Amino acid sequence: MESDKLHYNVSIIGGGPAGVATAIMLAARGVSHCIIEAQPEPTAKAGEALPPSARPLFRQLGIEDLLQHTSHSPYYGNMSCWGSNEFVQEEFIHHLHGHGYLLNRQHFESQLQSLMQKQATKFYSAYRLQHVEPANPGIKIEIANGVCSKSITSDFVVDATGRKASVCRRLGIEKEVYDDQFALSFRVKLKEPMARQIYIEAIDTGWWYAAPFGDKEMTLMFFTAKDLLPTKPNTVEFLQEAHHNTQHMPKSLDLSQVETSMVKVMPAGTSSLQVPYGENWLAVGDAAYAYDPISSYGITSALASGYYAGHALSDHLAGQRDALVTYRYIMEKAFQGYLEKLFHQYDSEKRWSDGSYWKNRFPKIQPESP
Ligand SMILES: Cc1cc2nc3c(=O)[nH]c(=O)nc-3n(C[C@H](O)[C@H](O)[C@H](O)COP(=O)(O)OP(=O)(O)OC[C@H]3O[C@@H](n4cnc5c(N)ncnc54)[C@H](O)[C@@H]3O)c2cc1C
């Protein structure tokens, strides 16, 4: 394979929300950069709920108009059964920032990529990272798309590859994993439209998330522990039983239409790097800090980390020595606050405290005493 040789100040690996937000800020600061994205087309990733508190960040990044597209729907609150048998309603009407959004995630990803075209960010679509090594000065990466490969040198490489943190892994930097939660995610067809709200319900083996997807479908996710996951042939039966064990989830949801091939199974726990940057590299989004979906904070955190990382890298390249330390401080503070809330969220569910999912959910988190 023939290999082109290229140079950018910053190479971003991964074109999801974190990678794109980093590129928006680097472009605004006039720093040369590129994005390398493994997928040839935007994909429908898991994760769609955007709480009202995300809206100021979208404004800050100059991308609030993306939310107005008819593919995305406003949503007005949560109904949840957690910690007691009651079904509790939280309405956003009293919220400072109004309603949240249920994103059409595939469309959102394609909107983000169109932004990259508009701001003329070089976007290597369908290229996968093959190799990364220190180049003295800077860092060198090899990328390939099956037909040709390219060799790129940069001052910095940004790991925006999501939970797998592929750049860090290749550099030998491990993530700390806090739990072994997995999600089983699928959609069902609706007989009639449902209220635009999110349903959450805890049961003995995990918890359910349900949200309308347009007027005709519902996104369903069941979160459980890795060692409770069913074998592939038992997937549908497992989900039907978990649905049967709920008290409040709409019983009109017809899980008999679900086939094993429609169910995506993926890790969905909490993990973090010890330090989100090092010699000529920096991590953003899930690659740096992956959040439990109960927080609905993953997309917001990915965009926020890109925002701060873009500024920190621009400042660092302009000679500001403490820029990366500031980035670390902001990200760690947010993550510590999240860990506290996460611990209390799961600790508030005592109904099955001896059950294998709920028991000792977070042995590594030591909440501060009041
Ligand atoms: C089941 C589940 C439910 C969730 N629900 C919510 C929710 O309701 N609300 C919310 O805010 N968040 C939710 N999240 C989290 C949210 O989806 C993520 O936090 C968010 O996508 C992180 O963005 P990112 O840019 O860091 O990573 P990603 O979106 O994962 O993007 C990483 C990109 O890197 C590319 N890539 C990976 N490896 C390579 C490589 N080697 N070379 C080149 N490219 C590569 C991938 O193709 C991908 O496009 C959920 C997550 C899960 C698993």
Side-chain angles (χ1 to χ4, degrees):
M1 259 195 286
E2 203 173 306
S3 179
D4 293 342
K5 288 195 173 58
L6 301 152
H7 180 82
Y8 300 92
N9 286 140
V10 179
S11 298
I12 303 164
I13 319 295
V20 166
T22 310
I24 290 174
M25 294 329 297
L26 290 174
R29 298 286 301 270
V31 176
S32 82
H33 63 279
C34 67
I35 294 185
I36 290 104
E37 167 54 50
Q39 298 300 324
E41 302 286 344
T43 55
K45 295 173 181 168
E48 54 187 20
L50 214 54
S53 55
R55 292 172 72 178
L57 174 65
F58 273 69
R59 212 169 301 137
Q60 189 92 354
L61 281 162
I63 59 171
E64 200 182 18
D65 58 317
L66 303 188
L67 298 172
Q68 303 313 320
H69 194 274
T70 51
S71 301
H72 312 308
S73 335
Y75 89 101
Y76 300 102
N78 299 320
M79 293 289 295
S80 71
C81 173
W82 190 290
S84 84
N85 292 340
E86 257 180 273
F87 206 27
V88 179
Q89 181 153 29
E90 183 204 352
E91 287 185 65
F92 293 154
I93 195 158
H94 308 296
H95 202 287
L96 182 65
H97 303 294
H99 60 73
Y101 283 92
L102 292 170
L103 298 178
N104 174 327
R105 192 62 196 274
Q106 188 163 11
H107 187 71
F108 182 58
E109 298 284 318
S110 90
Q111 286 179 311
L112 294 177
Q113 291 192 15
S114 303
L115 277 181
M116 295 299 91
Q117 259 179 3
K118 272 195 210 141
Q119 70 172 33
T121 286
K122 184 68 194 167
F123 197 96
Y124 295 98
S125 173
Y127 276 88
R128 190 170 278 280
L129 177 71
Q130 302 294 314
H131 185 70
V132 53
E133 65 177 36
N136 197 22
I139 194 141
K140 182 177 155 192
I141 59 169
E142 296 282 340
I143 60 170
N145 68 356
V147 181
C148 65
S149 69
K150 294 183 191 298
S151 173
I152 304 177
T153 52
S154 303
D155 301 311
F156 263 85
V157 63
V158 172
D159 191 343
T161 60
R163 282 174 179 268
K164 287 181 299 177
S166 297
V167 177
C168 290
R169 227 184 38 235
R170 283 188 164 83
L171 290 169
I173 299 145
E174 294 291 324
K175 278 184 97 177
E176 172 144 34
V177 175
Y178 290 83
D179 66 327
D180 62 355
Q181 179 170 262
F182 268 68
L184 296 102
S185 168
F186 57 101
R187 290 221 172 99
V188 291
K189 292 209 165 27
L190 290 175
K191 291 190 187 102
E192 52 194 47
M194 296 195 64
R196 297 215 174 275
Q197 56 189 7
I198 288 178
Y199 301 82
I200 303 281
E201 182 164 350
I203 63 162
D204 55 344
T205 52
W207 57 275
W208 279 98
Y209 162 102
F213 181 75
D215 284 340
K216 297 193 174 123
E217 287 180 281
M218 193 99 181
T219 305
L220 288 166
M221 294 182 199
F222 184 61
F223 295 87
T224 191
K226 189 177 180 186
D227 57 4
L228 297 179
L229 283 174
T231 56
K232 211 168 179 188
N234 291 325
T235 305
V236 175
E237 206 183 320
F238 172 84
L239 290 169
Q240 283 171 342
E241 193 187 329
H243 180 234
H244 180 76
N245 289 343
T246 60
Q247 300 173 57
H248 303 285
M249 283 277 284
K251 293 293 173 202
S252 57
L253 291 176
D254 175 14
L255 267 65
S256 68
Q257 51 178 288
V258 181
E259 290 169 22
T260 308
S261 59
M262 294 155 59
V263 181
K264 288 187 194 152
V265 183
M266 68 205 89
T270 298
S271 61
S272 73
L273 292 173
Q274 233 164 31
V275 184
Y277 71 90
E279 195 76 12
N280 305 110
W281 67 268
L282 178 142
V284 288
D286 280 9
Y289 300 97
Y291 288 78
D292 188 315
I294 195 71
S295 67
S296 286
Y297 191 54
I299 299 167
T300 311
S301 166
L303 292 170
S305 66
Y307 174 84
Y308 291 118
H311 280 303
L313 286 169
S314 309
D315 290 343
H316 177 85
L317 293 170
Q320 207 170 300
R321 303 238 55 87
D322 56 358
L324 300 182
V325 181
T326 307
Y327 173 70
R328 175 183 176 180
Y329 176 78
I330 293 168
M331 298 310 297
E332 276 184 0
K333 201 160 167 27
F335 189 67
Q336 286 306 325
Y338 152 81
L339 285 183
E340 284 271 321
K341 281 195 194 145
L342 185 74
F343 180 86
H344 291 300
Q345 171 83 25
Y346 282 95
D347 196 46
S348 68
E349 180 51 87
K350 305 274 191 214
R351 287 174 293 171
W352 307 281
S353 47
D354 277 337
S356 42
Y357 173 76
W358 298 96
K359 197 162 118 189
N360 205 13
R361 272 285 279 129
F362 296 107
K364 289 184 190 168
I365 305 177
Q366 294 301 323
E368 276 172 33
S369 39

